[in-house]
Amino acid sequence: MSPLRGFDQAVAISQKHINESLARRYTLYPTLQAFNVRTDDEEDGAIQAQMLPPTVDLYFPGEPRKAYFSLHFKSGTFDYYAKRSGETQKSKHTLSVTGWKLVFIAKLTRQDLQTLPSDVMDNMLVDMKKNITNKPGSYSLSQILIDLTTADAVDWEALRSETPGMNPAVGEDIRAKAALRQLLFIYVSQLAKESLSILGYSITVKDPKDANPVMPSLPPVSVSTQTMPASVDSGSPGKSGDSNAFLFLEMAGDVTGRTAPLNALEGSYAWVRDDESGVMLIGKESLWDRFFVGHLKFINEEALVLVNKLGRWVETGGKEGGSVGDAIPWSLTDSSFPNNLEWTSRDQTSASFSWHDGKKNDKSDWGFGWTSHKREQWDASVKTNVRMDPGTNHLTVNNSISFQYQQANDSTHGRGDTISDLRTEAASVDWDLILAFNSVKGGILGFDVQVQNLKCSCNLSTQTFGVFQALFGGIIVDDKGKEIMESLIESRMNQIDLAGLVSKALKEQSQFVFPGGGTFFMKDPTFTPDYDLRVSLNYQQRREDQGVTK
């Protein structure tokens, strides 16, 4: 079962990558390394400390739209005022904060991730503002993933925090905790105002082309966010949560009003491998029904062009029909070139096209003591089948074309004896196309097209009826002519650059563009066992990229 469970596509970012991004940001901005905060009333308390990079823990049991955000103290002191037992007034107390870990519960609501507060934009760092305004993308992946734009967006989780030296049995620690809570939210508010806690934003644009001139093939129209553990024991002691993921679950396409399901996905799933920053998954239904089925019809058109050539080769012994891409008039039917290239049948992982038609011509003549009747019939057929191969990086297209020309001649002489002969010239060609995903550049899926299993066969024969089968002639098979014709057709087919024709069509007519091409380095496109298309993601890092946009 696909992990998308009803969504069209998803972007999953690993907990490891988020924490690495936070560490990189703290290196770029030394301001973040200082925690120097005091209350308006000096007797309430103050903290002067040096910070290590914060971390996120995306596993919050039973709450997929919450996460833990932790501040880590490298060194420093915490001053607070409290009245000890037996004392008549408050006195100053100092605790070392070395090794402290203060944990917050962050709410990951959709509104938090899509709202860009004006006061934050006004105070935003220049490089971040440039990144967001110049590269919004279809969406931008955003705020620290945990929204710290306002102090009340997070709750301090005292039970998970580690504060060595604060002894709950001592009465003054109640005062210490109250002072600490006040200082923490002053610090969080300062981070938000100065945009220091923010990695980016989630901004919806009305027209994705405004954000990226290369229109995604399946542009997102709505998004839902949540977290998901890689396994049910991700939160167990000693168990690394690096592969836990933050998910952007999207509904895609050009249908207005499509919205993401309200309920969060439950359970666990290992979305991201250890060597990846993230992964993008395009659902098979969305990919197949809304892109490939419509955009691969050129394969059926090309097969019809080739069967028309095959007919001319057979009828003229290879003298007509062209070779390398020469256009020739349609001659297989009395009507014009077929305009219905739709797949005859399809399911969620494959599609088939079948066409069969032809024409006839009858001509009679007579003279003194004789009559003749000539009947000609042309039949041609095309069959194509394209399928997704799970667990691979390619589509497979099976092609089969066939042509048959028959000429029957009836002649009657003298006393009424009739002699008939039937001349049959037939040929068929089968080949497979392997459309392998070999790269993703700028969000565009690249293909390497290979032609395999090319096979040509012919039948040239004459059958005679009447007057003891024209004096025992019977069926005469032209083996030599058959061999020559098969060799000629195979040579003609090899002269046609089938791989080149398909590659050109894929580039010009059927280009698949992922969302996020300006943000991610994408690689290793592969069909999953559930037929979803999976690509590995790594962020394109520049100094001004405090976060990511897609």
Side-chain angles (χ1 to χ4, degrees):
M1 178 180 177
S2 170
L4 291 169
R5 285 180 263 172
F7 288 94
D8 290 333
Q9 57 195 36
V11 172
I13 309 301
S14 73
Q15 177 176 306
K16 178 182 178 181
H17 173 77
I18 295 171
N19 287 330
E20 288 175 346
S21 296
L22 288 170
R24 181 166 48 251
R25 184 156 173 72
Y26 266 59
T27 300
L28 290 174
Y29 292 94
T31 308
L32 293 169
Q33 300 171 21
F35 190 131
N36 298 322
V37 180
R38 64 177 59 250
T39 61
D40 292 335
D41 183 350
E42 290 188 4
E43 291 194 358
D44 284 337
I47 290 180
Q48 288 188 317
Q50 287 295 306
M51 308 295 292
L52 295 171
T55 58
V56 297
D57 184 347
L58 298 179
Y59 184 59
F60 193 113
E63 296 282 356
R65 292 193 171 113
K66 291 183 179 180
Y68 294 113
F69 176 76
S70 301
L71 296 175
H72 301 271
F73 289 76
K74 181 179 181 181
S75 62
T77 57
F78 165 41
D79 297 332
Y80 68 98
Y81 289 80
K83 184 168 62 175
R84 294 182 181 275
S85 176
E87 293 181 345
T88 58
Q89 60 182 3
K90 292 186 293 185
S91 60
K92 179 180 177 181
H93 303 278
T94 300
L95 292 176
S96 170
V97 296
T98 301
W100 277 23
K101 174 184 176 182
L102 301 181
V103 180
F104 296 85
I105 298 175
K107 304 179 184 70
L108 306 173
T109 64
R110 182 176 174 183
Q111 288 74 22
D112 289 338
L113 288 168
Q114 291 185 333
T115 303
L116 183 63
S118 58
D119 59 335
V120 173
M121 177 61 102
D122 292 341
N123 292 283
M124 188 175 293
L125 297 170
V126 174
D127 56 356
M128 185 191 297
K129 185 181 295 187
K130 177 182 177 182
N131 186 45
I132 290 177
T133 55
N134 289 354
K135 282 180 41 184
S138 300
Y139 288 95
S140 46
L141 289 183
S142 322
Q143 293 166 282
I144 204 176
L145 302 181
I146 292 144
D147 185 355
L148 297 181
T149 56
T150 57
D152 57 5
V154 295
D155 296 320
W156 179 31
E157 176 62 12
L159 293 178
R160 291 179 65 98
S161 297
E162 299 173 7
T163 55
M166 291 184 65
N167 185 354
V170 181
E172 66 266 15
D173 283 345
I174 297 175
R175 178 64 181 172
K177 288 183 178 180
L180 181 58
R181 177 182 291 272
Q182 187 176 1
L183 292 169
L184 286 175
F185 283 100
I186 292 174
Y187 175 70
V188 169
S189 298
Q190 288 179 352
L191 288 181
K193 184 176 181 180
E194 297 173 12
S195 74
L196 295 176
S197 68
I198 302 167
L199 297 178
Y201 289 86
S202 181
I203 305 170
T204 305
V205 293
K206 293 181 179 179
D207 187 349
K209 288 185 291 187
D210 294 340
N212 188 345
V214 182
M215 180 75 169
S217 299
L218 300 171
V221 295
S222 65
V223 62
S224 177
T225 55
Q226 70 167 86
T227 65
M228 182 172 285
S231 63
V232 293
D233 61 344
S234 293
S236 301
K239 179 72 174 181
S240 171
D242 283 351
S243 296
N244 295 342
F246 187 91
L247 304 180
F248 290 84
L249 301 166
E250 301 169 347
M251 304 303 289
D254 55 4
V255 182
T256 58
R258 297 188 80 214
T259 58
L262 295 177
N263 296 329
L265 300 183
E266 297 180 350
S268 61
Y269 185 76
W271 289 83
V272 187
R273 297 192 303 258
D274 291 342
D275 60 339
E276 298 172 318
S277 296
V279 64
M280 183 180 294
L281 208 62
I282 309 294
K284 68 176 181 180
E285 291 88 354
S286 182
L287 180 71
W288 187 247
D289 290 338
R290 302 176 65 189
F291 184 79
F292 280 140
V293 166
H295 286 73
L296 293 180
K297 290 186 293 184
F298 73 86
I299 291 173
N300 304 330
E301 180 179 10
E302 194 59 44
L304 287 164
V305 170
L306 288 172
V307 78
N308 189 47
K309 287 179 178 291
L310 178 65
R312 297 305 298 154
W313 293 336
V314 171
E315 285 192 88
T316 65
K319 296 177 182 178
E320 296 181 17
S323 55
V324 187
D326 292 343
I328 63 170
W330 177 255
S331 62
L332 295 179
T333 62
D334 293 325
S335 56
S336 59
F337 188 90
N339 56 16
N340 183 7
L341 303 175
E342 297 292 336
W343 300 100
T344 310
S345 63
R346 74 171 192 255
D347 56 30
Q348 291 184 345
T349 60
S350 66
S352 298
F353 172 77
S354 179
W355 173 88
H356 178 266
D357 207 345
K359 61 182 181 180
K360 294 181 179 180
N361 182 43
D362 290 354
K363 182 179 181 181
S364 297
D365 200 2
W366 63 89
F368 181 74
W370 61 272
T371 61
S372 68
H373 185 197
K374 178 181 178 181
R375 302 186 305 276
E376 293 179 292
Q377 182 167 330
W378 294 261
D379 290 287
S381 67
V382 168
K383 292 182 180 180
T384 61
N385 176 269
V386 57
R387 68 176 186 272
M388 296 189 287
D389 294 327
T392 73
N393 69 332
H394 62 256
L395 298 162
T396 298
V397 185
N398 307 118
N399 303 267
S400 179
I401 59 175
S402 64
F403 171 83
Q404 178 175 278
Y405 170 74
Q406 286 188 318
Q407 178 180 307
N409 296 292
D410 302 326
S411 59
T412 304
H413 298 273
R415 295 177 300 174
D417 293 328
T418 299
I419 299 176
S420 301
D421 64 79
L422 177 65
R423 173 70 176 173
T424 300
E425 300 175 350
S428 65
V429 182
D430 300 308
W431 71 97
D432 296 332
L433 290 170
I434 307 299
L435 313 184
F437 313 134
N438 64 352
S439 65
V440 183
K441 295 181 179 179
I444 299 173
L445 183 62
F447 287 89
D448 178 29
V449 181
Q450 299 178 9
V451 179
Q452 297 181 357
N453 305 320
L454 179 64
K455 181 181 178 181
C456 305
S457 62
C458 295
N459 174 34
L460 304 178
S461 65
T462 302
Q463 187 172 4
T464 305
F465 307 89
V467 191
F468 297 101
Q469 280 65 53
L471 301 179
F472 314 107
I475 300 176
I476 300 174
V477 177
D478 186 355
D479 289 326
K480 184 63 176 178
K482 172 179 177 294
E483 182 180 339
I484 293 173
M485 183 59 70
E486 286 180 351
S487 177
L488 183 146
I489 292 173
E490 185 173 349
S491 174
R492 290 290 200 212
M493 289 295 296
N494 285 327
Q495 289 178 41
I496 297 176
D497 183 8
L498 291 174
L501 291 172
V502 174
S503 295
K504 182 179 179 181
L506 286 169
K507 184 176 181 180
E508 296 179 354
Q509 305 174 35
S510 306
Q511 199 172 67
F512 184 80
V513 182
F514 290 94
T519 299
F520 302 114
F521 289 119
M522 303 178 181
K523 63 177 183 177
D524 301 331
T526 308
F527 285 122
T528 70
D530 299 305
Y531 294 90
D532 299 326
L533 182 58
R534 184 188 194 278
V535 292
S536 176
L537 304 178
N538 282 286
Y539 286 116
Q540 300 182 19
Q541 293 293 340
R542 293 179 294 272
R543 187 183 187 279
E544 66 267 27
D545 286 348
Q546 307 312 318
V548 291
T549 57
K550 90 174 173 71

